[in-house]
Amino acid sequence: VNEQVYRQRRVRICSRCRRQLPDVVQNRGVYNTVGSIGGSLGTSMLGSGLAGAALGPIGAIGGAIGGAIVGGRVGAAATDGVCDAVESTADDVCDACKEDAKRRPQGHANWGGGRLGGAGDPPASDAQLSAGQTGQGSQEPQLTERVGAAMSAAGDRLSDGWSWVRQSFSGATSSGSQDAGASG
């Protein structure tokens, strides 16, 4: 008889440095054992009382045994679920990365909010902004006009390509049905 047992263990890692984090629940095995025993005792008493009331002494013994088996598994699963919930709410950054973040100064991020353009540029009026003119010359097409023209050209080419595919496909199917009609 060759029996091999594989046991898998979930390992948590730091989201910044990818080092292994210590277990949040240190004694998971003890908690599972206590949950299994508690569930076994509780459902054993409940099963014995219910089956004993319905089937007498033999039912009480069967209810106690069945309740112990079912309760042990339910209790272990319940404590395992509680341990998983505790681990899922734990922090995913190790202590070393937390200390590094405290020591490292937070960089200044300037996300704008100021006026764009150089110091010599005159500020644009509301009429110029609404007309799309920013003082760069009205002969040069604006970015939105150029992008719109490029998208229109691309759409026309796609439409022409799909028309060609549709005509090729309909020509192939109509000539195939004429050949089938002539041979039949």
Side-chain angles (χ1 to χ4, degrees):
V1 175
N2 184 10
E3 292 184 20
Q4 295 179 350
V5 176
Y6 295 100
R7 187 171 186 176
Q8 293 181 344
R9 183 172 167 238
R10 192 174 357 170
V11 177
R12 295 179 338 114
I13 58 172
C14 177
S15 63
R16 291 187 185 158
C17 67
R18 313 309 272 175
R19 280 185 247 163
Q20 183 176 350
L21 293 172
D23 291 334
V24 175
V25 180
Q26 297 293 328
N27 300 317
R28 183 184 280 260
V30 173
Y31 294 137
N32 281 342
T33 302
V34 170
S36 176
I37 291 172
S40 177
L41 289 174
T43 54
S44 174
M45 289 189 307
L46 183 66
S48 174
L50 290 176
L55 302 173
I58 294 177
I61 293 172
I65 293 171
I69 292 170
V70 170
R73 291 184 181 179
V74 169
T79 55
D80 205 27
V82 169
C83 289
D84 288 343
V86 169
E87 282 185 349
S88 70
T89 59
D91 199 11
D92 64 342
V93 179
C94 68
D95 292 335
C97 289
K98 287 179 190 175
E99 291 300 320
D100 286 344
K102 287 179 185 175
R103 279 183 277 156
R104 190 177 333 130
Q106 295 295 325
H108 175 70
N110 185 3
W111 295 103
R115 188 174 76 78
L116 298 176
D121 292 341
S125 68
D126 290 338
Q128 287 177 328
L129 290 176
S130 64
Q133 299 172 354
T134 58
Q136 294 180 352
S138 59
Q139 282 115 356
E140 206 176 300
Q142 295 295 319
L143 176 65
T144 55
E145 293 171 0
R146 287 184 280 172
V147 170
M151 296 299 284
S152 178
D156 290 341
R157 288 191 182 177
L158 282 173
S159 177
D160 292 342
W162 281 112
S163 297
W164 178 82
V165 169
R166 188 177 340 113
Q167 289 172 356
S168 299
F169 182 72
S170 65
T173 56
S174 63
S175 66
S177 62
Q178 290 173 356
D179 293 340
S183 65

